[in-house]
Structure formats: structure tokens, C-alpha cells
């Protein structure tokens, strides 16, 4: 499993080594979304870029299971990777330009939720999915209303 291979390599890396890798990883991540944005724009289709919630992000008070998943990175590559990724990505999000108006950071969507919302480090339970779906609906509704004014 490639995820296990990456996990093993990342376990051997310290925080500085992961940080050194991060610049290229984030550049590629942003470029993919810029390409998608341009394709949508050329077809006159709205593009929405949502940064998904993960157990590693936000200020949610985690329950025991969620805390274990955050520590172990169950279903994800490695906790250190995600922490550094979000930190570096957050610094770059300010520089997005035109695409920024189509970007929504959902990493804090559960900050005020005490109930369990995750089933592992990256996947949501039914309750978590309902919260995210509601937020996405609000974003799309708000965006469509702006364009109709």
C-alpha cells in the first residue's frame, strides 16, 4: 500500500525535513486548483474550492476516538505532514488573487461542535457530513445571490 510506504518514510523525517518538502507539495496542490478554476471559467461554470475539515485542523474539542485518530493519523499519511501542510498553506492562501473569491476554508466547520463528527482522521460520520453539506449549501447560495444582484 502506497500510503503505508509514505507513512514509513515520513516517520523517519523530522519536522524540518517535512517543511522542506512542503513548498513543492503546496505549489502543486494550488496549481491543480488554479487549472480547474481556469477550465471552469472558460466553460462559464462556477468553481468552488473547499479546504476540507480533517481531525488535524480547527479548534474542535475532540472526543477520545478523535484524539487517537489525530495522534495516529488513521486513514491519513502522517499527522506531522498535515499540521505543517495547513500552516504553510494558510500562509499562501493570502496570495491567491482572483481564485481566492472561490476558496472556502472548512477546516474550522466543527469548532463549536462537541459531538463526534469523524469516523477516522479524515472521514466524517453522518452528523459531520450534514454540517459540511449545510455549510457548502450556504456558500453556493450566498455566491449565487451575489451574482444575481
Amino acid at each position: 500500500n502506497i500510503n503505508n510506504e509514505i507513512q514509513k518514510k515520513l516517520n523517519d523525517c523530522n519536522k524540518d525535513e517535512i517543511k522542506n518538502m512542503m513548498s513543492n507539495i503546496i505549489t502543486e496542490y494550488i496549481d491543480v486548483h488554479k487549472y480547474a478554476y481556469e477550465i471552469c471559467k472558460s466553460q462559464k461554470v462556477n468553481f468552488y474550492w473547499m479546504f476540507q475539515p480533517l481531525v488535524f485542523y480547527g479548534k474542535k474539542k475532540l472526543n477520545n476516538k478523535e484524539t487517537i485518530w489525530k495522534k495516529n493519523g488513521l486513514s491519513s499519511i502522517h499527522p506531522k505532514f498535515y499540521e505543517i501542510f495547513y500552516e504553510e498553506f494558510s500562509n499562501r492562501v493570502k496570495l491567491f488573487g482572483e481564485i481566492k473569491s472561490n476558496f472556502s476554508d472548512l477546516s474550522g466547520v466543527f469548532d463549536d461542535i462537541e459531538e463526534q463528527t469523524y469516523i477516522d482522521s479524515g472521514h466524517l460520520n453522518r452528523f459531520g457530513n450534514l454540517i459540511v453539506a449545510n455549510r457548502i449549501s450556504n456558500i453556493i447560495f450566498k455566491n449565487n445571490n451575489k451574482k444575481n444582484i
Side-chain angles (χ1 to χ4, degrees):
N1 178 325
I2 193 158
N3 204 17
N4 291 337
E5 298 276 328
I6 294 169
Q7 181 93 9
K8 286 177 193 172
K9 287 181 182 179
L10 283 173
N11 281 335
D12 295 334
C13 292
N14 65 38
K15 193 172 182 173
D16 289 332
E17 290 171 315
I18 294 173
K19 270 190 165 192
N20 289 336
M21 291 184 250
M22 206 52 66
S23 181
N24 289 339
I25 292 169
I26 290 173
T27 297
E28 288 180 24
Y29 177 76
I30 291 169
D31 285 348
V32 165
H33 289 84
K34 284 181 178 178
Y35 297 140
Y37 171 76
E38 291 300 328
I39 291 167
C40 289
K41 188 174 159 184
S42 74
Q43 299 298 310
K44 296 182 171 70
V45 173
N46 289 334
F47 173 76
Y48 295 94
W49 177 2
M50 314 271 175
F51 196 73
Q52 78 177 60
L54 291 175
V55 76
F56 308 107
Y57 308 141
K59 297 176 180 129
K60 180 184 188 308
K61 184 177 178 189
L62 304 174
N63 70 19
N64 289 339
K65 287 181 180 179
E66 291 171 324
T67 301
I68 291 168
W69 297 327
K70 180 177 181 177
K71 181 181 176 207
N72 296 333
L74 184 64
S75 91
S76 302
I77 297 173
H78 194 288
K80 281 189 286 187
F81 174 87
Y82 288 96
E83 291 163 14
I84 295 169
F85 181 92
Y86 188 73
E87 179 184 319
E88 298 288 323
F89 179 77
S90 296
N91 291 332
R92 287 226 212 149
V93 78
K94 300 164 193 138
L95 309 173
F96 284 171
E98 183 182 355
I99 196 173
K100 187 175 180 186
S101 65
N102 297 69
F103 174 76
S104 297
D105 185 349
L106 301 183
S107 63
V109 72
F110 303 130
D111 285 357
D112 298 324
I113 306 296
E114 292 189 21
E115 293 88 347
Q116 182 173 329
T117 54
Y118 295 97
I119 59 171
D120 59 28
S121 63
H123 298 94
L124 306 176
N125 64 17
R126 181 180 173 96
F127 182 57
N129 279 315
L130 288 171
I131 293 168
V132 170
N134 185 55
R135 179 67 62 89
I136 291 171
S137 297
N138 289 337
I139 291 166
I140 293 170
F141 181 76
K142 182 178 169 185
N143 187 50
N144 285 340
N145 280 342
K146 264 196 257 178
K147 291 182 179 183
N148 292 329
I149 294 177

